Amino acid sequence: MNSKRTVQVGDVFASPLPMNKYGAVKVMDIIGRSYLLGITSYIDEQIPTIESKGIHQILITESIADGLEKPLFEWVDGKLPKELSFMGNIPLTTDEIRVESNIYAGKWSKECGIDVYYKWREETDPQGFKLEMQKKIEKADAYARRNTISNPKKMMDDQVFWGIISLLDWSKEDEGAIVEAAIKELSTLTIWQIRHFEENLSYKLFLSDTEEHAKEIGEYCFSLQDQHLSPDLFLYARCAAVARGKEVFEDALSNPSKMLKDTEFEILLSLSSEAYYLKMDKEFEYESGCSYETFSNKEGWSNTL
């Protein structure tokens, strides 16, 4: 268990992995309650120390977006998981200070270092790893199909919703800066209005979760020939359509061929949680009536699922 009350840039934490192994992550940047983690190349049955060689090297993995080998950095939100152990602090190098990432990994969990395990398994037992991952995917898909909720709860009025979306500042380059004004405006509303915004967003993403839309997202689109699709990438592509405003989204919704190509904007999913934290200084907990996760819209995938 960790003994840290506050997290600082340069902090290194050991993370538990399957098969009684350990990995390690390093905090590269902090913005509010979001943390940029560098996933290190350390993996061993021994819990690492601050002197362990692997924790000074960031894991190199293949990028889903462009297929290039890159160091793995990803943003997480929320509290430091109690399962992580604090190893010490290693000040950032000049190169590390310049690190940027648009990968959002969701809530900070004990599995934040899992990618080094996946790479180790792929290198040491590729066939076994392939079968293991296929079983996990099939199990997750089956669970999602059984438990999908598809009835929206009360939603924010569309005019107000699109008004907040219109505050996204596309003149900025940094994604955090793009959404800053929208988050601040949303934080001035009531708790219920923030929930109603989340419901509206979830429903729009649910509506565009269809096979036809998945075929139109660009290079990594769904095809009937191989039927391979990254669920996360398709979700982020749907986020991009909503983020670009009412006209772009509604055009794409009615005509899937107008979906934005090779574009994603996953940070849109954090608007409600960031606004709620800004307002209440605590985590946002809300379950929408419709899931925005890929394959949740059963009618949209009726020919495939």
Side-chain angles (χ1 to χ4, degrees):
M1 295 177 64
N2 70 73
S3 59
K4 291 279 287 182
R5 292 189 176 182
T6 59
V7 179
Q8 298 177 324
V9 171
D11 283 352
V12 179
F13 297 93
S15 62
L17 300 174
M19 298 180 67
N20 297 316
K21 293 187 179 295
Y22 291 92
V25 298
K26 182 177 181 180
V27 180
M28 315 300 294
D29 195 5
I30 303 174
I31 300 178
R33 297 287 292 178
S34 296
Y35 304 88
L36 180 60
L37 302 182
I39 314 303
T40 76
S41 61
Y42 181 89
I43 181 169
D44 203 290
E45 293 181 357
Q46 302 297 320
I47 191 167
T49 68
I50 202 68
E51 289 83 21
S52 298
K53 181 179 178 180
I55 68 172
H56 298 270
Q57 302 170 342
I58 301 300
L59 181 69
I60 304 297
T61 62
E62 182 177 310
S63 170
I64 294 177
D66 55 23
L68 299 178
E69 295 280 320
K70 297 178 181 179
L72 181 57
F73 301 99
E74 54 190 28
W75 287 96
V76 294
D77 290 331
K79 298 179 181 179
L80 171 65
K82 62 182 180 180
E83 295 85 357
L84 269 59
S85 301
F86 177 60
M87 297 291 96
N89 187 284
I90 304 176
L92 268 58
T93 65
T94 302
D95 289 338
E96 287 177 333
I97 292 173
R98 301 192 186 102
V99 165
E100 294 183 356
S101 175
N102 62 358
I103 299 176
Y104 176 64
K107 186 178 180 180
W108 195 353
S109 73
K110 66 179 182 179
E111 297 184 344
C112 58
I114 194 68
D115 289 274
V116 71
Y117 167 77
Y118 289 153
K119 186 168 185 178
W120 172 77
R121 287 281 282 123
E122 190 173 22
E123 292 174 347
T124 58
D125 183 16
Q127 188 61 33
F129 175 70
K130 183 178 180 180
L131 292 173
E132 177 184 327
M133 294 306 295
Q134 184 61 39
K135 288 180 180 178
K136 285 186 176 182
I137 292 172
E138 291 174 355
K139 184 177 180 180
D141 287 348
Y143 178 84
R145 288 194 290 270
R146 289 195 307 269
N147 295 277
T148 296
I149 303 172
S150 57
N151 295 314
K153 302 175 185 177
K154 184 174 181 180
M155 295 184 287
M156 174 178 281
D157 178 80
D158 247 18
Q159 185 174 352
V160 180
F161 176 86
W162 288 119
I164 292 172
I165 295 297
S166 71
L167 295 176
L168 298 180
D169 188 353
W170 298 104
S171 68
K172 308 291 187 182
E173 294 185 3
D174 178 74
E175 288 188 345
I178 292 173
V179 300
E180 183 177 4
I183 289 172
K184 286 183 178 179
E185 176 63 22
L186 189 55
S187 72
T188 67
L189 304 181
T190 67
I191 293 173
W192 280 106
Q193 285 175 311
I194 295 175
R195 291 171 179 166
H196 296 164
F197 173 89
E198 178 71 8
E199 191 69 39
N200 195 317
L201 173 60
S202 297
Y203 188 52
K204 284 177 170 51
L205 294 173
F206 172 83
L207 290 176
S208 54
D209 173 29
T210 79
E211 179 182 322
E212 295 307 310
H213 287 86
K215 292 177 181 178
E216 301 291 344
I217 63 172
E219 183 178 358
Y220 296 97
C221 66
F222 176 83
S223 68
L224 292 175
Q225 286 71 34
D226 54 38
Q227 296 193 2
H228 291 312
L229 176 73
S230 165
D232 286 343
L233 198 62
F234 180 41
L235 170 58
Y236 303 154
R238 288 181 278 135
C239 287
V242 175
R244 284 296 178 172
K246 183 176 187 292
E247 183 176 348
V248 171
F249 172 75
E250 292 185 349
D251 280 353
L253 186 62
S254 60
N255 185 353
S257 67
K258 293 188 177 181
M259 280 288 288
L260 300 177
K261 305 297 188 285
D262 303 309
T263 305
E264 57 184 89
F265 198 67
E266 68 268 31
I267 199 172
L268 187 72
L269 299 174
S270 68
L271 258 63
S272 299
S273 58
E274 289 294 326
Y276 187 85
Y277 188 84
L278 189 61
K279 183 179 186 69
M280 303 298 295
D281 196 30
K282 60 182 181 180
E283 303 302 320
F284 181 63
E285 295 183 3
Y286 177 74
E287 183 177 351
S288 59
C290 288
S291 171
Y292 52 61
E293 297 295 344
T294 297
F295 304 128
S296 293
N297 186 345
K298 295 179 181 179
E299 291 187 3
W301 293 91
S302 59
N303 294 326
T304 305
L305 296 180

